[in-house]
Amino acid sequence: QRPSSGWGTPEQITNPEYSTTAFLKGLKQVDGWQDMPLTEAAQTVQVSAYPDAYAQWEQQAADLVAQYWNS
């Protein structure tokens, strides 16, 4: 997330709660995100110059969600 892309100020985007909320708001605007591969959904929201880079973090993200969801 970059300030130049409208995600917020440098201070905001380095705040994990703010960044997560901003990402999730963007994700909810993507039609069919629930049925997309994780990396495709992330790329649709983030519009990264390196769209395949998300795949390397997929397992770590899944582990974090499993650990902290509803905790």
Side-chain angles (χ1 to χ4, degrees), residues 45-70:
V45 175
Q46 297 288 81
V47 192
S48 170
Y50 304 97
D52 297 328
Y54 297 109
Q56 67 180 320
W57 305 109
E58 187 169 357
Q59 187 59 56
Q60 183 179 7
D63 292 345
L64 286 168
V65 169
Q67 182 177 355
Y68 292 106
W69 194 266
N70 294 325

Side-chain angles (χ1 to χ4, degrees), residues 17-63:
E17 183 176 353
Y18 178 91
S19 292
T20 300
T21 300
F23 176 82
L24 293 174
K25 284 180 182 179
L27 183 63
K28 289 180 181 180
Q29 295 177 19
V30 176
D31 288 335
W33 66 267
Q34 300 95 327
D35 300 318
M36 291 180 180
L38 179 63
T39 56
E40 184 180 332
Q43 172 61 9
T44 302
V45 175
Q46 297 288 81
V47 192
S48 170
Y50 304 97
D52 297 328
Y54 297 109
Q56 67 180 320
W57 305 109
E58 187 169 357
Q59 187 59 56
Q60 183 179 7
D63 292 345

